[in-house]
Amino acid sequence: MPHPDPPTVQQPILAPHEIPPGVQEVILPSGERALAYSTEPALAPPPLPVSAPPAAQPIPAWAKSTALLAPTIGGGVAVAAVGLSAAAPGLEAASHVLWSTVAVIAAGGAAAAALIGRIKARATAAQRPHITQHITSTGLFGRANGTINHR
């Protein structure tokens, strides 16, 4: 039994305004019409007519205040730099004094902790009781008896 021919599908015909940009309608050598992508770049739209330049817009208030503050802030930074450079020897000496003070405090704290530890050890050694236990039992499952001595 021979196979039937496949049914032919009628493609819808698009109106020229429905064809997307970059796609063209072409006629194939067989006479059939088809849509194809264009390999040539699309033409640029015509330039807009030259009109009058746009009107100048006023400068916003925040831009004006920022522009006025910039030299003031820069001057303040410059004065602070000059002041720090003049005070540098004194600041260096102050930092040495601070580091020395920190070292003395740390050494004193360590010495105080060691001294307190020794005093506390002597005080608790005299008060610590000595405990002894004597436990006896007879047999594997016998009852255990014991004594505890505190001295």
Side-chain angles (χ1 to χ4, degrees), residues 17-38:
H17 69 277
E18 294 177 335
I19 297 175
V23 177
Q24 296 176 348
E25 184 178 11
V26 294
I27 299 175
L28 300 175
S30 64
E32 221 179 317
R33 292 180 178 223
L35 295 177
Y37 286 101
S38 174

Side-chain angles (χ1 to χ4, degrees), residues 28-140:
L28 300 175
S30 64
E32 221 179 317
R33 292 180 178 223
L35 295 177
Y37 286 101
S38 174
T39 57
E40 298 176 8
L43 296 176
L48 297 175
V50 178
S51 61
Q57 300 201 356
I59 298 173
W62 66 268
K64 287 181 183 178
S65 62
T66 303
L68 292 173
L69 283 175
T72 306
I73 292 170
V77 170
V79 169
V82 169
L84 284 175
S85 67
L91 291 174
E92 185 181 1
S95 71
H96 288 301
V97 168
L98 287 173
W99 279 114
S100 300
T101 305
V102 168
V104 167
I105 290 172
L115 182 65
I116 290 172
R118 282 188 179 178
I119 292 172
K120 190 174 179 182
R122 285 184 186 170
T124 57
Q127 297 173 357
R128 199 175 309 156
H130 185 72
I131 301 173
T132 58
Q133 293 182 345
H134 297 284
I135 300 172
T136 58
S137 164
T138 56
L140 182 62

